[in-house]
Amino acid sequence: MNPFIKIRRDLHLIPELGFQEYKTQAYLLAYLENLSQERISIKKWKTGLFVKIKGINPTKTIGYRADIDGLPIVEETGLEFASTHPEQMHACGHDFHMSIALGVLTHYVKNPIDDDLLFIFQPAEEGPGGAEPMLKSDIMQDWKPDIIFALHIAPEYPVGSIAVKEGLLFANTSELFIDLKGKGGHAAYPHLTNDMIIAACSLVGQLQTIISRNVNPLDSAVITIGKITSGTVQNIIAEKARLEGTIRTLSDDSMEKVKQRINAVVKGIETSFECNAVIDYGSMYHQVYNDEEITRDFIQFMKTQTNIDVIQCKEAMTGEDFGYMLKEIPGLMFWLGVDSPYGLHHAKLNPKEEAIEVAIKMLTSYITFQGNRLQHTQKGV
């Protein structure tokens, strides 16, 4: 078995939620400590890691980021190496991301290039968001790369393919939590209560009109309410209700407009149902915007690789906090084909493991090209 497939399976057993990745960090450290330490520097950051590999004759630092957290999902794959942590699963492919990063890192420990490399193992991508505070850390400021890359698995694309585009790749995202409080009571006396289940149902419908009637139809935005919690038993009118959801937009202006309209609609619910409401927008992720020149360069290089099929994709409403890093550091993110009938965040997601070796070979080829190119140019090669 490919050693990095085994690593992926080991990591798949121990998914952990954001900023709780203690076993994951320990596993990564144990692996790294078994490598030659001649060119490696390792620094912990909360439950994440920074790993720097010294180059032979550096003129810049190339960054590569892998996220490490799991999701609060009950796994239903039936795999022999299914999650051992109750109600937690690597359902977004971060086990793949880590094993690929370790494969690339290991290659450069054994085969250093001219430039320095910085591998970032980032916690809490799924929430509450680790990229922005990691970016602001003293370690990142000391070791800040000049260019940065990342990938995300894509179940809808076959193994051996990547999908990428210049400019906007992933949307702006924001969490959405709305708490409603009215007056509960006996089901036989609804006139003496303010029923928050009715209020919540009305609110869900009104929130959807924001997209259909307040967002430019040539733009794109999404409001999804994924969870409603309310009530206790069947014959008591609910005093409280909580709505949990997400907002996705393709522009900062649309995000601001959507939030303004949510505020106004919720005020209307307060008046209509004589209740109190509290809105919490939780974590917000900046859009993933690929540097045009770097992405064109990346696409051109990948098209020269005989084992890679390059797909020009469209932007997606997916959220990714890697966008914060791309906001400050030029670079790109791309989709890696892993060919699964089940999508991201699905309890049965089972990507094809052959994609791990494909990604390692592809990334080492490109990073070597990037890391030696300037020196070769100066030497006239």
Side-chain angles (χ1 to χ4, degrees):
M1 180 189 295
N2 182 301
F4 299 104
I5 290 178
K6 182 182 183 303
I7 287 172
R8 178 258 165 164
R9 294 183 179 187
D10 289 345
L11 290 166
H12 193 84
L13 288 164
I14 56 168
E16 297 167 293
L17 304 184
F19 292 127
Q20 299 174 32
E21 305 95 334
Y22 303 108
K23 290 182 182 179
T24 302
Q25 184 188 59
Y27 183 96
L28 295 171
L29 281 170
Y31 177 86
L32 293 168
E33 288 166 0
N34 282 324
L35 298 175
S36 170
Q37 301 298 298
E38 181 182 359
R39 312 190 73 85
I40 292 184
S41 298
I42 302 169
K43 292 186 179 182
K44 293 183 182 180
W45 180 85
K46 296 188 178 181
T47 49
L49 295 171
F50 289 94
V51 185
K52 188 171 185 178
I53 300 178
K54 295 178 183 177
I56 298 169
N57 182 27
T59 61
K60 65 180 184 294
T61 299
I62 300 172
Y64 185 80
R65 174 273 208 169
D67 36 13
I68 69 173
D69 56 323
L71 284 158
I73 291 175
V74 178
E75 182 164 348
E76 298 176 5
T77 62
L79 295 168
E80 292 182 359
F81 51 91
S83 171
T84 58
H85 291 177
E87 299 183 5
Q88 296 179 52
M89 178 188 174
H90 273 302
C92 202
H94 296 184
D95 50 343
F96 267 63
H97 298 176
M98 287 184 280
S99 62
I100 291 166
L102 288 177
V104 177
L105 185 155
T106 302
H107 173 85
Y108 289 112
V109 169
K110 298 175 181 178
N111 305 281
I113 55 174
D114 291 330
D115 281 326
D116 291 340
L117 301 175
L118 179 65
F119 290 86
I120 302 165
F121 293 91
Q122 180 215 304
E125 190 280 322
E126 299 293 349
E132 187 175 26
M134 205 170 196
L135 183 66
K136 295 178 180 178
S137 69
D138 291 339
I139 302 171
M140 181 66 119
Q141 296 308 308
D142 289 342
W143 284 355
K144 193 171 184 178
D146 300 286
I147 189 171
I148 194 165
F149 305 99
L151 63 79
H152 201 298
I153 67 162
E156 64 271 31
Y157 294 118
V159 173
S161 68
I162 62 170
V164 67
K165 69 179 291 293
E166 300 170 29
L168 184 67
L169 182 68
F170 294 165
N172 298 278
T173 70
S174 175
E175 295 177 327
L176 175 63
F177 305 98
I178 304 173
D179 288 291
L180 304 175
K181 185 176 181 180
K183 183 180 179 182
H186 197 290
Y189 305 101
H191 58 294
L192 301 179
T193 70
N194 296 324
D195 188 341
M196 290 303 97
I197 288 181
I198 299 297
C201 291
S202 178
L203 177 55
V204 170
Q206 291 187 48
L207 289 174
Q208 297 311 308
T209 68
I210 294 173
I211 304 302
S212 65
R213 288 296 174 265
N214 299 118
V215 175
N216 187 332
L218 298 180
D219 196 355
S220 292
V222 173
I223 299 174
T224 295
I225 301 299
K227 181 179 179 181
I228 300 177
T229 307
S230 187
T232 52
V233 296
Q234 80 278 8
N235 63 346
I236 296 177
I237 289 172
E239 180 177 342
K240 297 178 181 179
R242 179 174 173 84
L243 288 71
E244 301 182 18
T246 182
I247 310 166
R248 312 286 171 113
T249 72
L250 293 184
S251 70
D252 291 334
D253 288 344
S254 289
M255 179 64 74
E256 183 178 354
K257 177 67 172 178
V258 166
K259 287 185 175 181
Q260 288 175 352
R261 291 300 303 145
I262 289 173
N263 294 341
V265 167
V266 171
K267 284 185 181 296
I269 290 291
E270 285 186 302
T271 301
S272 300
F273 292 91
E274 297 181 329
C275 65
N276 295 318
V278 176
I279 304 172
D280 177 7
Y281 289 109
S283 299
M284 180 173 174
Y285 289 177
H286 191 268
Q287 64 191 23
V288 172
Y289 195 92
N290 288 339
D291 181 276
E292 285 93 342
E293 183 178 352
I294 293 171
T295 306
R296 285 194 296 270
D297 180 77
F298 176 79
I299 292 171
Q300 183 177 1
F301 178 85
M302 287 303 163
K303 285 183 175 180
T304 68
Q305 306 301 295
T306 57
N307 60 335
I308 299 295
D309 181 23
V310 180
I311 299 168
Q312 292 273 358
C313 64
K314 294 184 177 181
E315 60 270 22
M317 284 297 183
T318 313
E320 241 288 357
D321 70 349
F322 184 61
Y324 285 113
M325 294 190 180
L326 289 179
K327 187 178 180 182
E328 290 198 17
I329 306 166
L332 67 91
M333 172 171 269
F334 64 92
W335 291 110
L336 173 71
V338 294
D339 192 16
S340 170
Y342 300 101
L344 298 174
H345 295 206
H346 195 286
K348 293 184 179 180
L349 175 69
N350 185 21
K352 288 188 176 178
E353 293 176 321
E354 303 95 298
I356 293 173
E357 185 175 1
V358 170
I360 292 170
K361 289 181 177 179
M362 173 182 61
L363 286 167
T364 51
S365 295
Y366 182 65
I367 291 172
T368 299
F369 167 72
Q370 275 287 344
N372 291 331
R373 181 172 52 175
L374 180 58
Q375 285 78 5
H376 290 166
T377 302
Q378 291 173 336
K379 295 171 186 175
V381 176

